[in-house]
Amino acid sequence: MQQENMKTLESLEDFRHFSEKELEIRFDQLKKQIVPADKTIREQAEKHWGHVEKPLGSLGVLEEDIVRAAAAQGEEVPDFSKRALLIFCADNGVVEEGVSQTGQEVTAAVVTNMTRGRSCSCLMAEKAETDVFPIDMGIACEVEHHPLTERKIRRGTSNFTKAAAMTRQEVLTAILTGIDAVRVLKEQGYRLSAVGEMGIGNTTTSSAVASVLLNRPAEEMTGRGAGLSGD
């Protein structure tokens, strides 16, 4: 992928100067705008794909995803003509516990390669003719290359084994930034958006969150992590 195919979100709103109360109000307003997917369109889409010359339901999960996308877009045949990949980049303070084989400097290195179109996700996005939008939400080290949309809340989260990883204000800032990123893409004509993240220690963070949400033991939710063996 050539660097000129990497994108920034120039009109992305900056919530970092908002008070916690202002963030709460904006978040509540946005929640009220969420509506269910169109059931009628879903039924029409299911009927459409049922009439395509193939065994019924033979596309499996792909067919179900297409029907769900149709209901979400409100169109019997969904439009995926303009596609985007949002990558939110930030560091995890729990890395100081030695949970990863690499340090936070690797986050910056990967993001630098990402902005040059040299990361795995960027190469796959190129094949899928998808634009990539890396966003700095909290990278601890300096990133040497651009384009990169900068919305750094702070330089990495706190170590959640010792304190709360983020304040409520920081969490709301991050969530609203993600919501607004999708708004910008929609206004620019994008019809399909994928969302990812980059940050060393992310496996530990996601395992901890999943453990709480699913009420399961941390040992059950945690694997070895990237590049680590059973030894």
mmCIF file of all heavy atoms in Angstrom, residues 134-172:
data_model
loop_
_atom_site.group_PDB
_atom_site.id
_atom_site.type_symbol
_atom_site.label_atom_id
_atom_site.label_comp_id
_atom_site.label_asym_id
_atom_site.label_seq_id
_atom_site.Cartn_x
_atom_site.Cartn_y
_atom_site.Cartn_z
ATOM 1 N N PRO A 134 -5.466 5.126 10.710
ATOM 2 C CA PRO A 134 -4.905 4.924 12.046
ATOM 3 C C PRO A 134 -5.133 6.157 12.923
ATOM 4 O O PRO A 134 -4.965 7.293 12.464
ATOM 5 C CB PRO A 134 -3.415 4.694 11.774
ATOM 6 C CG PRO A 134 -3.148 5.383 10.478
ATOM 7 C CD PRO A 134 -4.435 5.360 9.697
ATOM 8 N N ILE A 135 -5.532 5.928 14.173
ATOM 9 C CA ILE A 135 -5.842 7.027 15.099
ATOM 10 C C ILE A 135 -5.067 6.820 16.394
ATOM 11 O O ILE A 135 -5.168 5.769 17.026
ATOM 12 C CB ILE A 135 -7.354 7.104 15.391
ATOM 13 C CG1 ILE A 135 -8.145 7.248 14.090
ATOM 14 C CG2 ILE A 135 -7.665 8.263 16.339
ATOM 15 C CD1 ILE A 135 -9.648 7.168 14.273
ATOM 16 N N ASP A 136 -4.294 7.815 16.796
ATOM 17 C CA ASP A 136 -3.534 7.753 18.041
ATOM 18 C C ASP A 136 -4.445 8.156 19.194
ATOM 19 O O ASP A 136 -4.758 9.322 19.383
ATOM 20 C CB ASP A 136 -2.325 8.692 17.964
ATOM 21 C CG ASP A 136 -1.517 8.713 19.259
ATOM 22 O OD1 ASP A 136 -1.846 7.960 20.186
ATOM 23 O OD2 ASP A 136 -0.552 9.509 19.327
ATOM 24 N N MET A 137 -4.850 7.159 20.001
ATOM 25 C CA MET A 137 -5.683 7.422 21.170
ATOM 26 C C MET A 137 -4.875 7.480 22.457
ATOM 27 O O MET A 137 -5.355 7.954 23.479
ATOM 28 C CB MET A 137 -6.759 6.333 21.289
ATOM 29 C CG MET A 137 -7.731 6.265 20.130
ATOM 30 S SD MET A 137 -8.736 7.755 19.968
ATOM 31 C CE MET A 137 -9.723 7.659 21.455
ATOM 32 N N GLY A 138 -3.639 6.964 22.412
ATOM 33 C CA GLY A 138 -2.849 6.955 23.640
ATOM 34 C C GLY A 138 -1.541 6.200 23.510
ATOM 35 O O GLY A 138 -1.171 5.423 24.393
ATOM 36 N N ILE A 139 -0.820 6.418 22.404
ATOM 37 C CA ILE A 139 0.470 5.760 22.214
ATOM 38 C C ILE A 139 1.480 6.374 23.178
ATOM 39 O O ILE A 139 1.605 7.589 23.274
ATOM 40 C CB ILE A 139 0.952 5.921 20.758
ATOM 41 C CG1 ILE A 139 -0.088 5.338 19.788
ATOM 42 C CG2 ILE A 139 2.305 5.239 20.559
ATOM 43 C CD1 ILE A 139 0.191 5.628 18.329
ATOM 44 N N ALA A 140 2.212 5.530 23.895
ATOM 45 C CA ALA A 140 3.126 6.015 24.929
ATOM 46 C C ALA A 140 4.383 6.658 24.351
ATOM 47 O O ALA A 140 4.870 7.663 24.872
ATOM 48 C CB ALA A 140 3.510 4.863 25.860
ATOM 49 N N CYS A 141 4.909 6.090 23.282
ATOM 50 C CA CYS A 141 6.145 6.594 22.680
ATOM 51 C C CYS A 141 5.839 7.458 21.457
ATOM 52 O O CYS A 141 4.717 7.462 20.953
ATOM 53 C CB CYS A 141 7.048 5.420 22.284
ATOM 54 S SG CYS A 141 7.454 4.307 23.646
ATOM 55 N N GLU A 142 6.842 8.170 21.010
ATOM 56 C CA GLU A 142 6.662 9.031 19.843
ATOM 57 C C GLU A 142 6.556 8.188 18.571
ATOM 58 O O GLU A 142 7.259 7.198 18.404
ATOM 59 C CB GLU A 142 7.839 10.005 19.704
ATOM 60 C CG GLU A 142 7.900 11.052 20.806
ATOM 61 C CD GLU A 142 6.682 11.966 20.805
ATOM 62 O OE1 GLU A 142 6.157 12.254 19.708
ATOM 63 O OE2 GLU A 142 6.238 12.360 21.892
ATOM 64 N N VAL A 143 5.672 8.596 17.688
ATOM 65 C CA VAL A 143 5.530 7.958 16.385
ATOM 66 C C VAL A 143 6.181 8.859 15.357
ATOM 67 O O VAL A 143 5.873 10.047 15.266
ATOM 68 C CB VAL A 143 4.045 7.709 16.043
ATOM 69 C CG1 VAL A 143 3.912 7.130 14.645
ATOM 70 C CG2 VAL A 143 3.414 6.783 17.065
ATOM 71 N N GLU A 144 7.074 8.287 14.577
ATOM 72 C CA GLU A 144 7.934 9.089 13.708
ATOM 73 C C GLU A 144 7.297 9.456 12.377
ATOM 74 O O GLU A 144 7.822 10.297 11.664
ATOM 75 C CB GLU A 144 9.237 8.318 13.443
ATOM 76 C CG GLU A 144 10.019 7.969 14.712
ATOM 77 C CD GLU A 144 11.230 7.110 14.424
ATOM 78 O OE1 GLU A 144 11.399 6.710 13.245
ATOM 79 O OE2 GLU A 144 12.003 6.848 15.354
ATOM 80 N N HIS A 145 6.209 8.809 12.044
ATOM 81 C CA HIS A 145 5.702 8.962 10.679
ATOM 82 C C HIS A 145 4.229 9.327 10.674
ATOM 83 O O HIS A 145 3.510 9.061 11.621
ATOM 84 C CB HIS A 145 5.915 7.649 9.912
ATOM 85 C CG HIS A 145 5.965 7.815 8.429
ATOM 86 N ND1 HIS A 145 7.029 8.388 7.777
ATOM 87 C CD2 HIS A 145 5.086 7.475 7.475
ATOM 88 C CE1 HIS A 145 6.798 8.380 6.468
ATOM 89 N NE2 HIS A 145 5.626 7.831 6.262
ATOM 90 N N HIS A 146 3.788 9.931 9.610
ATOM 91 C CA HIS A 146 2.395 10.306 9.432
ATOM 92 C C HIS A 146 1.988 9.926 8.008
ATOM 93 O O HIS A 146 2.850 9.681 7.180
ATOM 94 C CB HIS A 146 2.224 11.814 9.681
ATOM 95 C CG HIS A 146 2.441 12.186 11.125
ATOM 96 N ND1 HIS A 146 1.484 12.028 12.095
ATOM 97 C CD2 HIS A 146 3.531 12.669 11.764
ATOM 98 C CE1 HIS A 146 1.958 12.418 13.270
ATOM 99 N NE2 HIS A 146 3.193 12.807 13.097
ATOM 100 N N PRO A 147 0.724 9.739 7.641
ATOM 101 C CA PRO A 147 -0.456 10.315 8.293
ATOM 102 C C PRO A 147 -0.950 9.513 9.503
ATOM 103 O O PRO A 147 -0.920 8.295 9.500
ATOM 104 C CB PRO A 147 -1.505 10.263 7.178
ATOM 105 C CG PRO A 147 -1.089 9.085 6.356
ATOM 106 C CD PRO A 147 0.400 9.052 6.388
ATOM 107 N N LEU A 148 -1.374 10.235 10.515
ATOM 108 C CA LEU A 148 -1.910 9.638 11.728
ATOM 109 C C LEU A 148 -2.817 10.669 12.378
ATOM 110 O O LEU A 148 -2.396 11.782 12.664
ATOM 111 C CB LEU A 148 -0.778 9.258 12.676
ATOM 112 C CG LEU A 148 -1.155 8.648 14.023
ATOM 113 C CD1 LEU A 148 -1.805 7.277 13.831
ATOM 114 C CD2 LEU A 148 0.074 8.530 14.920
ATOM 115 N N THR A 149 -4.087 10.312 12.581
ATOM 116 C CA THR A 149 -5.005 11.222 13.259
ATOM 117 C C THR A 149 -4.691 11.216 14.747
ATOM 118 O O THR A 149 -4.705 10.170 15.384
ATOM 119 C CB THR A 149 -6.469 10.791 13.030
ATOM 120 O OG1 THR A 149 -6.743 10.741 11.622
ATOM 121 C CG2 THR A 149 -7.421 11.779 13.686
ATOM 122 N N GLU A 150 -4.396 12.366 15.303
ATOM 123 C CA GLU A 150 -3.948 12.463 16.703
ATOM 124 C C GLU A 150 -5.097 12.891 17.605
ATOM 125 O O GLU A 150 -5.605 13.995 17.508
ATOM 126 C CB GLU A 150 -2.785 13.468 16.793
ATOM 127 C CG GLU A 150 -1.977 13.360 18.085
ATOM 128 C CD GLU A 150 -2.652 14.074 19.252
ATOM 129 O OE1 GLU A 150 -3.065 15.237 19.059
ATOM 130 O OE2 GLU A 150 -2.766 13.477 20.338
ATOM 131 N N ARG A 151 -5.493 11.959 18.488
ATOM 132 C CA ARG A 151 -6.499 12.243 19.513
ATOM 133 C C ARG A 151 -6.039 11.619 20.841
ATOM 134 O O ARG A 151 -6.839 11.073 21.582
ATOM 135 C CB ARG A 151 -7.870 11.704 19.099
ATOM 136 C CG ARG A 151 -8.561 12.483 17.989
ATOM 137 C CD ARG A 151 -8.907 13.904 18.407
ATOM 138 N NE ARG A 151 -9.612 14.623 17.348
ATOM 139 C CZ ARG A 151 -9.015 15.298 16.370
ATOM 140 N NH1 ARG A 151 -7.680 15.336 16.318
ATOM 141 N NH2 ARG A 151 -9.723 15.931 15.456
ATOM 142 N N LYS A 152 -4.745 11.745 21.116
ATOM 143 C CA LYS A 152 -4.148 11.113 22.284
ATOM 144 C C LYS A 152 -4.779 11.644 23.574
ATOM 145 O O LYS A 152 -4.724 12.830 23.862
ATOM 146 C CB LYS A 152 -2.637 11.370 22.310
ATOM 147 C CG LYS A 152 -1.877 10.512 23.341
ATOM 148 C CD LYS A 152 -0.447 11.005 23.519
ATOM 149 C CE LYS A 152 0.336 10.985 22.235
ATOM 150 N NZ LYS A 152 0.684 9.584 21.832
ATOM 151 N N ILE A 153 -5.387 10.752 24.355
ATOM 152 C CA ILE A 153 -5.990 11.121 25.629
ATOM 153 C C ILE A 153 -4.906 11.251 26.697
ATOM 154 O O ILE A 153 -4.888 12.177 27.491
ATOM 155 C CB ILE A 153 -7.056 10.090 26.030
ATOM 156 C CG1 ILE A 153 -8.191 10.095 24.989
ATOM 157 C CG2 ILE A 153 -7.611 10.377 27.418
ATOM 158 C CD1 ILE A 153 -9.206 8.994 25.166
ATOM 159 N N ARG A 154 -4.014 10.287 26.720
ATOM 160 C CA ARG A 154 -2.767 10.366 27.492
ATOM 161 C C ARG A 154 -1.844 9.254 27.000
ATOM 162 O O ARG A 154 -2.235 8.425 26.185
ATOM 163 C CB ARG A 154 -3.003 10.272 28.987
ATOM 164 C CG ARG A 154 -3.651 9.010 29.515
ATOM 165 C CD ARG A 154 -3.733 9.119 31.037
ATOM 166 N NE ARG A 154 -4.712 8.275 31.636
ATOM 167 C CZ ARG A 154 -4.433 7.185 32.370
ATOM 168 N NH1 ARG A 154 -3.171 6.808 32.537
ATOM 169 N NH2 ARG A 154 -5.397 6.486 32.935
ATOM 170 N N ARG A 155 -0.635 9.226 27.501
ATOM 171 C CA ARG A 155 0.365 8.273 27.003
ATOM 172 C C ARG A 155 0.183 6.895 27.667
ATOM 173 O O ARG A 155 0.912 6.535 28.571
ATOM 174 C CB ARG A 155 1.774 8.809 27.231
ATOM 175 C CG ARG A 155 2.088 10.029 26.380
ATOM 176 C CD ARG A 155 3.519 10.500 26.564
ATOM 177 N NE ARG A 155 3.797 11.652 25.725
ATOM 178 C CZ ARG A 155 4.186 11.589 24.450
ATOM 179 N NH1 ARG A 155 4.371 10.401 23.876
ATOM 180 N NH2 ARG A 155 4.408 12.672 23.754
ATOM 181 N N GLY A 156 -0.819 6.174 27.200
ATOM 182 C CA GLY A 156 -1.097 4.849 27.723
ATOM 183 C C GLY A 156 -1.987 4.878 28.951
ATOM 184 O O GLY A 156 -2.070 5.887 29.654
ATOM 185 N N THR A 157 -2.634 3.758 29.199
ATOM 186 C CA THR A 157 -3.491 3.645 30.380
ATOM 187 C C THR A 157 -2.640 3.366 31.617
ATOM 188 O O THR A 157 -1.438 3.105 31.526
ATOM 189 C CB THR A 157 -4.496 2.494 30.214
ATOM 190 O OG1 THR A 157 -3.778 1.260 30.066
ATOM 191 C CG2 THR A 157 -5.382 2.706 29.002
ATOM 192 N N SER A 158 -3.273 3.414 32.775
ATOM 193 C CA SER A 158 -2.592 3.033 34.007
ATOM 194 C C SER A 158 -2.564 1.508 34.125
ATOM 195 O O SER A 158 -3.322 0.801 33.453
ATOM 196 C CB SER A 158 -3.313 3.622 35.222
ATOM 197 O OG SER A 158 -3.299 5.030 35.188
ATOM 198 N N ASN A 159 -1.684 1.001 34.942
ATOM 199 C CA ASN A 159 -1.593 -0.426 35.217
ATOM 200 C C ASN A 159 -2.811 -0.850 36.031
ATOM 201 O O ASN A 159 -2.939 -0.486 37.201
ATOM 202 C CB ASN A 159 -0.301 -0.717 35.984
ATOM 203 C CG ASN A 159 -0.115 -2.191 36.290
ATOM 204 O OD1 ASN A 159 -1.011 -3.014 36.115
ATOM 205 N ND2 ASN A 159 1.072 -2.538 36.769
ATOM 206 N N PHE A 160 -3.731 -1.611 35.420
ATOM 207 C CA PHE A 160 -5.003 -1.892 36.100
ATOM 208 C C PHE A 160 -4.860 -2.874 37.262
ATOM 209 O O PHE A 160 -5.828 -3.110 37.988
ATOM 210 C CB PHE A 160 -6.073 -2.365 35.110
ATOM 211 C CG PHE A 160 -5.832 -3.705 34.469
ATOM 212 C CD1 PHE A 160 -5.979 -4.882 35.180
ATOM 213 C CD2 PHE A 160 -5.500 -3.793 33.126
ATOM 214 C CE1 PHE A 160 -5.790 -6.111 34.586
ATOM 215 C CE2 PHE A 160 -5.302 -5.027 32.517
ATOM 216 C CZ PHE A 160 -5.442 -6.187 33.252
ATOM 217 N N THR A 161 -3.675 -3.456 37.454
ATOM 218 C CA THR A 161 -3.467 -4.289 38.644
ATOM 219 C C THR A 161 -3.193 -3.430 39.876
ATOM 220 O O THR A 161 -3.206 -3.946 41.009
ATOM 221 C CB THR A 161 -2.293 -5.270 38.449
ATOM 222 O OG1 THR A 161 -1.072 -4.540 38.371
ATOM 223 C CG2 THR A 161 -2.486 -6.105 37.200
ATOM 224 N N LYS A 162 -2.965 -2.132 39.661
ATOM 225 C CA LYS A 162 -2.653 -1.232 40.765
ATOM 226 C C LYS A 162 -3.658 -0.088 40.905
ATOM 227 O O LYS A 162 -3.807 0.483 41.983
ATOM 228 C CB LYS A 162 -1.254 -0.636 40.568
ATOM 229 C CG LYS A 162 -0.140 -1.679 40.555
ATOM 230 C CD LYS A 162 1.208 -1.046 40.286
ATOM 231 C CE LYS A 162 2.322 -2.102 40.277
ATOM 232 N NZ LYS A 162 3.646 -1.505 39.968
ATOM 233 N N ALA A 163 -4.324 0.259 39.819
ATOM 234 C CA ALA A 163 -5.281 1.372 39.833
ATOM 235 C C ALA A 163 -6.218 1.216 38.645
ATOM 236 O O ALA A 163 -6.008 0.355 37.783
ATOM 237 C CB ALA A 163 -4.548 2.714 39.759
ATOM 238 N N ALA A 164 -7.258 2.043 38.612
ATOM 239 C CA ALA A 164 -8.154 2.040 37.450
ATOM 240 C C ALA A 164 -7.360 2.398 36.196
ATOM 241 O O ALA A 164 -6.554 3.333 36.212
ATOM 242 C CB ALA A 164 -9.285 3.038 37.656
ATOM 243 N N ALA A 165 -7.570 1.644 35.136
ATOM 244 C CA ALA A 165 -6.825 1.891 33.899
ATOM 245 C C ALA A 165 -7.109 3.282 33.340
ATOM 246 O O ALA A 165 -6.208 3.957 32.826
ATOM 247 C CB ALA A 165 -7.172 0.831 32.855
ATOM 248 N N MET A 166 -8.375 3.718 33.442
ATOM 249 C CA MET A 166 -8.789 5.017 32.912
ATOM 250 C C MET A 166 -9.834 5.628 33.839
ATOM 251 O O MET A 166 -10.532 4.911 34.562
ATOM 252 C CB MET A 166 -9.381 4.862 31.497
ATOM 253 C CG MET A 166 -8.467 4.233 30.482
ATOM 254 S SD MET A 166 -9.314 3.830 28.918
ATOM 255 C CE MET A 166 -9.605 5.459 28.245
ATOM 256 N N THR A 167 -9.941 6.937 33.790
ATOM 257 C CA THR A 167 -11.030 7.603 34.500
ATOM 258 C C THR A 167 -12.296 7.516 33.652
ATOM 259 O O THR A 167 -12.235 7.226 32.452
ATOM 260 C CB THR A 167 -10.703 9.079 34.751
ATOM 261 O OG1 THR A 167 -10.647 9.766 33.482
ATOM 262 C CG2 THR A 167 -9.376 9.241 35.482
ATOM 263 N N ARG A 168 -13.433 7.767 34.263
ATOM 264 C CA ARG A 168 -14.689 7.754 33.498
ATOM 265 C C ARG A 168 -14.653 8.818 32.398
ATOM 266 O O ARG A 168 -15.129 8.591 31.285
ATOM 267 C CB ARG A 168 -15.885 7.985 34.428
ATOM 268 C CG ARG A 168 -17.220 7.967 33.697
ATOM 269 C CD ARG A 168 -18.409 7.955 34.633
ATOM 270 N NE ARG A 168 -19.660 7.937 33.915
ATOM 271 C CZ ARG A 168 -20.213 6.857 33.356
ATOM 272 N NH1 ARG A 168 -19.596 5.697 33.462
ATOM 273 N NH2 ARG A 168 -21.359 6.921 32.718
ATOM 274 N N GLN A 169 -14.080 9.955 32.681
ATOM 275 C CA GLN A 169 -13.993 11.012 31.682
ATOM 276 C C GLN A 169 -13.163 10.552 30.484
ATOM 277 O O GLN A 169 -13.522 10.820 29.334
ATOM 278 C CB GLN A 169 -13.377 12.276 32.293
ATOM 279 C CG GLN A 169 -13.325 13.455 31.328
ATOM 280 C CD GLN A 169 -12.960 14.752 32.030
ATOM 281 O OE1 GLN A 169 -12.950 14.830 33.254
ATOM 282 N NE2 GLN A 169 -12.672 15.773 31.263
ATOM 283 N N GLU A 170 -12.074 9.849 30.748
ATOM 284 C CA GLU A 170 -11.236 9.354 29.658
ATOM 285 C C GLU A 170 -11.967 8.296 28.840
ATOM 286 O O GLU A 170 -11.866 8.269 27.604
ATOM 287 C CB GLU A 170 -9.935 8.786 30.228
ATOM 288 C CG GLU A 170 -8.998 9.850 30.778
ATOM 289 C CD GLU A 170 -7.841 9.271 31.558
ATOM 290 O OE1 GLU A 170 -7.942 8.114 32.037
ATOM 291 O OE2 GLU A 170 -6.817 9.967 31.707
ATOM 292 N N VAL A 171 -12.714 7.434 29.516
ATOM 293 C CA VAL A 171 -13.472 6.402 28.817
ATOM 294 C C VAL A 171 -14.510 7.028 27.886
ATOM 295 O O VAL A 171 -14.646 6.644 26.717
ATOM 296 C CB VAL A 171 -14.157 5.452 29.817
ATOM 297 C CG1 VAL A 171 -15.139 4.523 29.099
ATOM 298 C CG2 VAL A 171 -13.112 4.635 30.575
ATOM 299 N N LEU A 172 -15.260 8.002 28.401
ATOM 300 C CA LEU A 172 -16.261 8.669 27.576
ATOM 301 C C LEU A 172 -15.620 9.390 26.400
ATOM 302 O O LEU A 172 -16.159 9.382 25.282
ATOM 303 C CB LEU A 172 -17.063 9.658 28.433
ATOM 304 C CG LEU A 172 -18.056 9.038 29.424
ATOM 305 C CD1 LEU A 172 -18.563 10.088 30.405
ATOM 306 C CD2 LEU A 172 -19.233 8.403 28.676
#
